[in-house]
Structure formats: C-alpha cells, structure tokens
Amino acid sequence: MALSPRRELFAFAVALAAIVGGFFAQSLFGGRILSPADVLFASNSFRDVRGPAYEPANRLLIDPVLQFQPWLEFNRAMLRSGRLPLWNSMAGCGAPHLANGQSAVFDPFHLIAYLGRLPDALAWMAAARLWFAGLGMFLLARAWGFGPWGRWFSGLAFPFCGFLVVWLLFPVTNVAVWLPWVLLATERAWERPGPRSVGWLALAVGGTLLGGHVQTSAHVLLAAGSYAAWRAFGSGSDRRGLMAWSAGVALGVGIAAVEVVPLGFYLAKSPVWADRERERTPPWELARPRVLDAACTALPYLYGSQRRGHPSLAKAAGVHNLNESAGGFAGLATLIWLAPLAWSARRANPRVRFLAALTAFGLLGAFRLPPVDNLLRALPVLGVTDNRRLTLWVAFGLVSLGGIGLDRLAASRRGGAWGRWGWTWVAASIAMLAAAGGVGRLAPSIRAKALDHYAKAAEATPGADPATYRDRAERQARETLAFVPLYLGLAAAQGLALAGLLGAVRRGRIGDGTARAALLGLTMVDLIGFGFGLNPAIDREDDRPEVPVLATLRREVGRSGRIIGLGAELPPNTLMRYGLADARNYDSVELSSNLDWLAPLYDPEVETRSSRREITWDRVLKGRDRLREASVLAVVGPTAPPPGFDRVERVGSVWIAGLDAAPLVEVVGDGTLAEVSGDNGRLQAEVVAGQEFSLIFRETFDPGWRAEVDGRPSPIGPRLGGFQSLRVPTGIHRVAFVYDPIEVRAALIASAIAAFAAVFALTDFGPFRSTRIVLQRLGRTQAIGLESDS
C-alpha cells in the first residue's frame, strides 16, 4: 500500500533522522565533542599533554579549530550580551568580525549554539545541517517526478556525499546544504509563479548567502541560475516564471545584505582580491589538469588522508588534499552503475540532460580541465574563485542521476552494452587486487622515501626533533603498507559484488525490488563508511586543553596586550580560544593596514600578503619596534630566541620572549587616564588633561570607528598609519570609541525590509485580499440596507 505524500515525507524524515543520529551518536549521545581540536597537540606548546608521538585524529582540520569554533563562541557571547559582533579585538590588532563573511553571524543553524551549550551544540548543528540537506533533496526529487526508490535514494545519499562530509565543519557545508532547497524553490517559481514562490525562493537564497562562504554561495546560485535558464529555454517565453525567479533571488540577496554588504566593504580594504588576480593565469593558457585528483571521485581514500592511521600520500602523488579531491564522491555504485543508467532516460526525462551537463561542467571545472577551466578563469568573480569546490555539482549531479537510474534499474537488462560494462568492473577489480598484492614488494622503497622526506622536513622546521620525525617516517611507511592493500582489496571486493549483482539482475535471478534495496544499502554503507570518523569526536577535555604556556601568558599578558607565535606555535586565532589577543589574524580577508604594519615580520620575497606567512626570530628582531607599538608583550617560539629581548623564559617545550610594549590605551602629552573599560568595538575612558593631548588607542584604524568626547563627535586620526589617535582638549572628559560602520546600519535596514517582504509574500498577500473582500462585502451590505430603509 503506497503512502500518501505527507506520510511518506514523515517516514523519510524519521528514517533520515535515525541514520544521522547514528552517524553522530558519539557526539550527540556519547558525551564526546565533535571537534578536531586535538590537532593542537601536534605543536610544542601542547606537546606535553599527549607527548611527541601523539597523532591527531585528523591533521587536515585545522581551520575549524583556529577560525570557525572561536568565531562561533565570539558570536554567541556578543549576542547574548545584547551586542552585534561587529569588531574582534582578539585578532589582527583588531579586525572586522561580522564583515569577514565566514563568521556567519546570521546563519540560521547557529541558533542551536546561541540558544544551547557549546561545545555540545557543534554536533547538533552538524546533524541538523545534514538532515536538512537530505530533506531538501527528497522534496526536490519528488518535485522532479522521481519514483519512491529514486527519491529515497537521493534524500539519503546526498547528506553523506563527499562534499558535505569533508567540509562538514566549515562554512562551505553551511552553504551547500541549501542547494536542493534553492533548486526546489526555483522549480516552484517556474511551476507556480506567484508571491508565495517568490517568498520561498527568497528565504532559500537568503539562507544560502548567510551560511558564511561567498564562493560556495556563488556556485549554488550559479547552479540555480543555470537551471532557471534551462527551464526558460525549454518553456519558451514564460515571463511570469522568469519574473518570479528574478524577484525571489533579488529579495534573497536583500535578506543577506547584512552579511554581503559589510563583506564587500571589507574586501575593498583587503589585499585578497589583488593577490588572487596576480595569481590567476590568463584564460588562454592551459592549466595543469588534476586528473589524478579526479580518481578520488570513485575511490576517495586512494591517496590516503591525514586521518590517524592513514598514510598521507597526496603530496607524494602530486594531488591535493582529501577535502579538495574527494568532494564529488557519491558512492562507487552511483558512479559506475546508477548515474550512467540514468542516461537511458534522457528522452523521457529532459532533466537528465541538464543534470549530466551540470555534473560534467562541475567535473571539468573542479579538476581544471579545458575548456571549462579556461572559461571560468575568463569570467569576472569566478576567475578568482576557488573552483575546486565545484565538486559540489559533481556530487549533487551524481546523486540525482543515481536516483533516476535506480528507478530505471530494469534498463540494465536490455542490450549487450551493460554486460560488457560489467566485465569492465571485473577487470578493474582484478587489477586492484593485483596492485594490492604488489604493494608489499615496494616496502624498502616506500620506507626509504618516507625517511628522506621527513629528514628534509625536520631540517626545514625550527626546533624539530630528528628522532620524532624519523618515528613519523617509520609510521608513515607502516601505515602505507597496511592501509593501501586493504583499501584496494575492499574496493575490488565492492567492484566484484556490483558486477555479480548486475549479472543477477540481467539474468532475472533477483527482482527489481531486491536489487534496488541492495544498491541503496551498498551505497549507504559506502558513503557512511567513508565519512564516519572523518570529523572526529574527541574527549571533552581535549577540546580545550590547558597547558603551562597558556597559564604563563595569562599571567604575563592577560588582556593588557597581544601575543604572536612562531612556526607551528600558537598559529593565529589559537589564542582567541583562550580569551587572549593575537597581533595577527587567521582569515582569507584581512585589513591591509594591519598587514602593512607587520610587514617587517615577513619574508619580502613572499608576494601573497597574509598573516599565515612564516615568522622567524630574526624577523621578529627586525620588527621589534613595530611589535612594541602594536602592544605585543610576548613572542612564543619552538627554539631559543637570540639576544635582544627584554625577558626570556622557557615554559615546557617552548620559549617566551617578553617585550616592554606600549599599552593598548595611552596618553601622549599632559594628561592622565583615570578610568578605562570596554572591549571588542567599544572603549570608554575618563581622562584628565592639563593641556590638549592625544589619546592613543592601539586598535587597527578603520573608517568604521567613531569617537565622542563628552557625547560630542570628535574626529579620529591614524596613528602611524596603523592605529587610532584622538585629540582631547584641556579638562576632565569622558571619551568613547565605538565601531559602528554606516554600511552595517544600512545593510541591517535592507535585510529587515527584505525579510519582512519575503515573509509577507508567503501569505500570498492574504491580509490585503482579506481586507478587500471585507470592504466589498460591507459595501454591498450597506447598499442593501439603504435600499430597504427607503
């Protein structure tokens, strides 16, 4: 008995929730924390907690630890105190926070953290995102006419595809989960153009842009725009659909104005676009294609990974890391059987051609293959976008085509081509088994190359222990010899199993229902097996480990100054996790003024301007005066500093060099500070001036700052081009600095208006219609009454 659409949706939602709950069971119900924060144990500053041999659960996931987790905590703390997180005083000598985009202050899923507890909310947000993505995919598949098996396959597979799982703890997934919803709203705008369709599309586009990753947002909206163009081409001049879609997208951009507009202003004050323009190769040149990376679309761990227990072979093979290579993974059965099978429906289902084109375009763009790569480099904005993330289109397209193929499984029985294709799987599986068996013969070569690689790495790393690096080389060799044969063997077994299943289907030995269930089960095992544990669940105490160097920095520096770390020690934003301020920032967008001020710290030969560049003790000595002016009181390094510092102390496995730096707030002239308070975008000070003097506030100068003296506006000037200076007249005064950029105010108003318009559109203008009906009826009643009285 077929379920009604509503009951089927409920059943799917419950089933998906159960699978997602199981996927995150350790973090949701087991008391562990969904966080890769144990990666900090790899540095000398935290080494004493676990020892030098400790291997983090996933070394690749450093960005969530240094950026997204501390930023989320900052958002939560500021909003709970009744303030918008506009300015972050703990990064980059002060930097815009809301405007950096990836802080995702208004991401709807962040409400779970704002209203709940951290770090427990990290797992609930991740689970909610994957559930939301699967639900949207199910509804989209139903709207596109998929059968029951096809829509369940699509809805269950998409949340666990490579792209959403590898980027799960990044804003990339925050945005990508909206793709099926944006396409669903686009479909509705064409099928039923009207106010409600406009409102739904606006909310979906707004949610996409508020997710915190503008590049992935561009890819999502480009996919939606491509689908809208395809619908327009196929339906002729359907002006109502085009108008509804355009209005919905425009209104959605308006909803996200509070994030998009400040980001635009921030980019104008950052070198990031200039750096990317300089790095971009001309569109007529052929780039080096990433053909080897593309193999991860079929076998995601072909080159290992940076997970504990895996060999990391990507660099040796000349490919990118797992996140950049395996995003298009949608299950081996999907790639080699179900998606190709969907092509047989291209005449009956025109969307197959669109989905195939979307998948092919994403594949060519992500892996830098002509002519798509050349086209993307020629386009504005997309030319400086990281188009490796177009693997989102690959994963989405493969899952969608897989759903269509599963519905048409019976087509596998027809024609000899599928029989020959199945024998190709057998041949490939035998080749993988042979390769797995031959890995052991390469053991001496693998060990020698690993030892040579890590010996060179030890020489290039200040303070590195050669013995520790030699142990890493030995471990890398052992893991390669254990992992690679096992992984190739399992892949071969899967290939042979699929070939056997195909043969059984073609011979009629099993029914379509049984075969569909087997393919759905195999695909889910494949996807969940890939993603389980990739984003680690760690012990609660490992999420925020306390070490002696942090206790020393709290005592010596506290909130009275800033700190920087050298090499792998306390990379930018690590200190923010502990309430301490860093003179550098860790973000793709940074203020040029801060980077210019700290320029002496960095190698001038490195053209890209970023706080992620390496700093050495020699460069610190050269920039010592600028560090003092930036209120840097301590420098932490893995090796002993040279002479020239005011104080030196060894704490555990690191050295702390002290500087007698200028205070964060200082009077220059005949005056005194009676009282100072405030942080993160606010400063209040009571000053006593014998004569006019300058009040120096060592936060990065930005046009968004404004100052008042006794409640009256007063102009702020730059201090040495990097910080802030305010002239204060003679007498006793109350001085206030506030970061309040006009563009944020304007964007907030625009977002509020657009959000109200979208919600009102969802009513289908019902209030106006109801009022009109009431007035019309009232008018008729009055007329009848007057006639009867006369």
Side-chain angles (χ1 to χ4, degrees):
M1 179 179 177
L3 295 174
S4 67
R6 183 172 297 180
R7 288 184 176 179
E8 185 188 19
L9 176 61
F10 177 76
F12 174 81
V14 172
L16 179 60
I19 296 172
V20 171
F23 190 72
F24 294 109
Q26 290 180 303
S27 302
L28 294 178
F29 315 114
R32 297 172 74 84
I33 304 301
L34 185 67
S35 170
D38 69 327
V39 72
L40 294 175
F41 295 141
S43 67
N44 287 0
S45 299
F46 293 85
R47 177 179 295 174
D48 294 339
V49 179
R50 289 288 184 270
Y54 181 80
E55 182 63 23
N58 192 337
R59 281 180 176 266
L60 184 60
L61 303 182
I62 187 68
D63 285 5
V65 179
L66 302 185
Q67 291 179 293
F68 315 126
Q69 290 181 2
W71 288 348
L72 179 63
E73 292 181 23
F74 183 69
N75 294 348
R76 182 178 183 271
M78 292 290 284
L79 291 171
R80 284 192 163 201
S81 68
R83 295 170 57 190
L84 276 178
L86 301 178
W87 184 265
N88 180 5
S89 293
M90 289 181 283
C93 298
H97 182 76
L98 170 66
N100 80 24
Q102 294 190 93
S103 59
V105 175
F106 296 100
D107 179 12
F109 291 96
H110 281 175
L111 281 172
I112 297 172
Y114 299 159
L115 300 176
R117 297 190 311 167
L118 283 174
D120 304 81
L122 297 173
W124 290 101
M125 287 191 303
R129 287 190 175 104
L130 294 193
W131 182 85
F132 180 76
L135 188 67
M137 194 68 187
F138 175 86
L139 292 172
L140 177 63
R142 189 167 73 177
W144 279 353
F146 288 25
W149 282 102
R151 54 182 176 257
W152 276 71
F153 175 90
S154 301
L156 292 176
F158 183 64
F160 301 99
C161 73
F163 194 90
L164 296 191
V165 172
V166 298
W167 296 110
L168 181 63
L169 303 182
F170 296 71
V172 177
T173 288
N174 301 5
V175 172
V177 298
W178 287 92
L179 176 58
W181 292 95
V182 173
L183 288 172
L184 178 63
T186 297
E187 179 71 23
R188 181 186 174 111
W190 284 95
E191 291 291 330
R192 289 177 281 174
R196 285 183 179 173
S197 297
V198 171
W200 286 119
L201 180 57
L203 293 179
V205 171
T208 300
L209 291 168
L210 291 173
H213 200 262
V214 67
Q215 297 182 65
T216 306
S217 297
H219 291 155
V220 169
L221 297 183
L222 184 59
S226 301
Y227 183 66
W230 178 81
R231 285 298 308 262
F233 179 79
S235 60
S237 57
D238 188 353
R239 293 184 179 179
R240 292 187 64 212
L242 181 60
M243 290 176 62
W245 185 82
S246 301
V249 171
L251 204 57
V253 173
I255 290 173
V258 67
E259 186 167 299
V260 174
V261 172
L263 174 60
F265 276 81
Y266 193 8
L267 286 170
K269 297 176 283 189
S270 169
V272 61
W273 284 116
D275 287 342
R276 293 193 177 186
E277 282 286 354
R278 185 178 59 252
E279 295 168 359
R280 180 170 63 164
T281 56
W284 55 84
E285 291 185 6
L286 291 178
R288 179 175 176 268
R290 299 172 54 214
V291 177
L292 294 177
D293 295 61
C296 293
T297 306
L299 303 174
Y301 288 132
L302 182 60
Y303 308 109
S305 74
Q306 291 180 281
R307 293 180 62 172
R308 182 190 298 139
H310 283 203
S312 182
L313 307 175
K315 187 175 292 186
V319 302
H320 292 73
N321 62 53
L322 180 76
N323 285 25
E324 304 294 1
S325 299
F329 179 61
L332 186 61
T334 307
L335 178 68
I336 67 175
W337 187 348
L338 298 179
L341 185 59
W343 187 246
S344 65
R346 62 190 180 279
R347 292 185 178 87
N349 186 350
R351 288 190 183 86
V352 170
R353 296 180 185 272
F354 169 77
L355 290 168
L358 186 76
T359 305
F361 192 97
L363 188 74
L364 294 173
F367 297 113
R368 306 208 71 177
L369 295 166
V372 172
D373 176 62
N374 304 78
L375 173 63
L376 291 171
R377 281 186 278 133
L379 295 174
V381 181
L382 289 174
V384 293
T385 296
D386 190 348
N387 291 308
R388 292 177 297 180
R389 314 287 164 74
L390 280 172
T391 48
L392 170 61
W393 290 14
V394 178
F396 173 82
L398 287 175
V399 168
S400 301
L401 290 170
I404 296 172
L406 193 63
D407 283 336
R408 291 184 57 84
L409 189 63
S412 301
R413 296 193 177 97
R414 297 191 291 270
W418 278 101
R420 293 190 293 274
W421 185 231
W423 282 110
T424 303
W425 305 349
V426 173
S429 299
I430 293 173
M432 284 190 286
L433 287 173
V439 170
R441 300 176 185 175
L442 301 175
S445 174
I446 291 172
R447 183 175 180 274
K449 289 183 177 180
L451 288 169
D452 180 65
H453 170 77
Y454 278 94
K456 292 177 180 177
E459 291 177 4
T461 304
D465 179 10
T468 299
Y469 275 72
R470 188 165 51 253
D471 290 343
R472 290 181 185 175
E474 295 285 1
R475 183 173 64 229
Q476 182 78 192
R478 289 194 305 271
E479 289 171 349
T480 300
L481 294 171
F483 176 85
V484 173
L486 176 61
Y487 186 68
L488 290 177
L490 289 173
Q494 187 179 7
L496 292 172
L498 290 172
L501 184 60
L502 176 60
V505 169
R506 286 179 57 77
R507 293 179 178 85
R509 293 178 179 175
I510 59 174
D512 287 349
T514 302
R516 288 186 176 113
L519 283 168
L520 175 58
L522 282 172
T523 301
M524 293 306 298
V525 169
D526 198 9
L527 292 173
I528 292 175
F530 163 70
F532 188 77
L534 180 65
N535 298 283
I538 62 175
D539 292 335
R540 185 173 296 271
E541 58 268 22
D542 288 347
D543 181 60
R544 198 63 52 90
E546 289 290 338
V547 291
V549 66
L550 291 172
T552 301
L553 292 173
R554 285 197 184 99
R555 183 181 69 249
E556 299 296 328
V557 179
R559 299 303 299 271
S560 62
R562 300 186 175 100
I563 304 158
I564 63 170
L566 309 185
E569 304 314 312
L570 304 178
N573 282 21
T574 304
L575 294 163
M576 187 180 175
R577 294 177 67 88
Y578 296 90
L580 297 168
D582 198 316
R584 299 174 296 160
N585 201 352
Y586 187 89
D587 194 3
S588 57
V589 186
E590 300 181 57
L591 287 172
S592 295
S593 54
N594 175 254
L595 292 170
D596 291 343
W597 182 257
L598 297 178
L601 297 179
Y602 305 113
D603 184 350
E605 298 295 324
V606 179
E607 292 185 351
T608 301
R609 293 196 292 168
S610 165
S611 289
R612 306 184 194 193
R613 290 171 289 177
E614 184 180 2
I615 301 177
T616 64
W617 283 118
D618 289 340
R619 304 300 305 182
V620 169
L621 284 177
K622 290 180 180 179
R624 185 171 38 184
D625 292 340
R626 294 208 173 191
L627 290 176
R628 287 188 172 118
E629 179 62 31
S631 302
V632 173
L633 294 173
V635 182
V636 181
T639 58
F645 292 93
D646 301 314
R647 297 169 302 281
V648 174
E649 179 181 3
R650 182 167 186 177
V651 180
S653 300
V654 297
W655 281 260
I656 301 177
L659 294 172
D660 292 330
L664 294 171
V665 184
E666 182 182 19
V667 169
V668 178
D670 186 8
T672 57
L673 283 169
E675 179 184 347
V676 179
S677 63
D679 62 357
N680 296 314
R682 288 185 182 178
L683 175 75
Q684 297 83 36
E686 186 173 316
V687 297
V688 180
Q691 60 183 22
E692 187 178 62
F693 69 91
S694 293
L695 182 64
I696 307 304
F697 181 32
R698 290 183 172 87
E699 292 273 306
T700 306
F701 180 79
D702 182 271
W705 282 96
R706 61 182 176 85
E708 293 180 350
V709 178
D710 299 328
R712 293 186 296 273
S714 185
I716 300 175
R719 159 78 173 178
L720 302 176
F723 304 106
Q724 303 178 56
S725 176
L726 177 69
R727 297 297 295 175
V728 180
T730 304
I732 302 175
H733 302 284
R734 193 74 183 172
V735 177
F737 288 81
V738 178
Y739 185 70
D740 186 20
I742 187 68
E743 65 268 17
V744 174
R745 288 191 179 191
L748 277 169
I749 294 171
S751 291
I753 294 172
F756 175 80
V759 173
F760 187 67
L762 292 177
T763 68
D764 205 17
F765 301 147
F768 284 155
R769 185 177 293 109
S770 300
T771 303
R772 184 171 66 252
I773 293 172
V774 169
L775 290 174
Q776 288 172 352
R777 289 178 177 173
L778 180 60
R780 286 195 296 270
T781 303
Q782 288 174 332
I784 293 171
L786 289 172
E787 289 175 2
S788 61
D789 288 341
S790 61

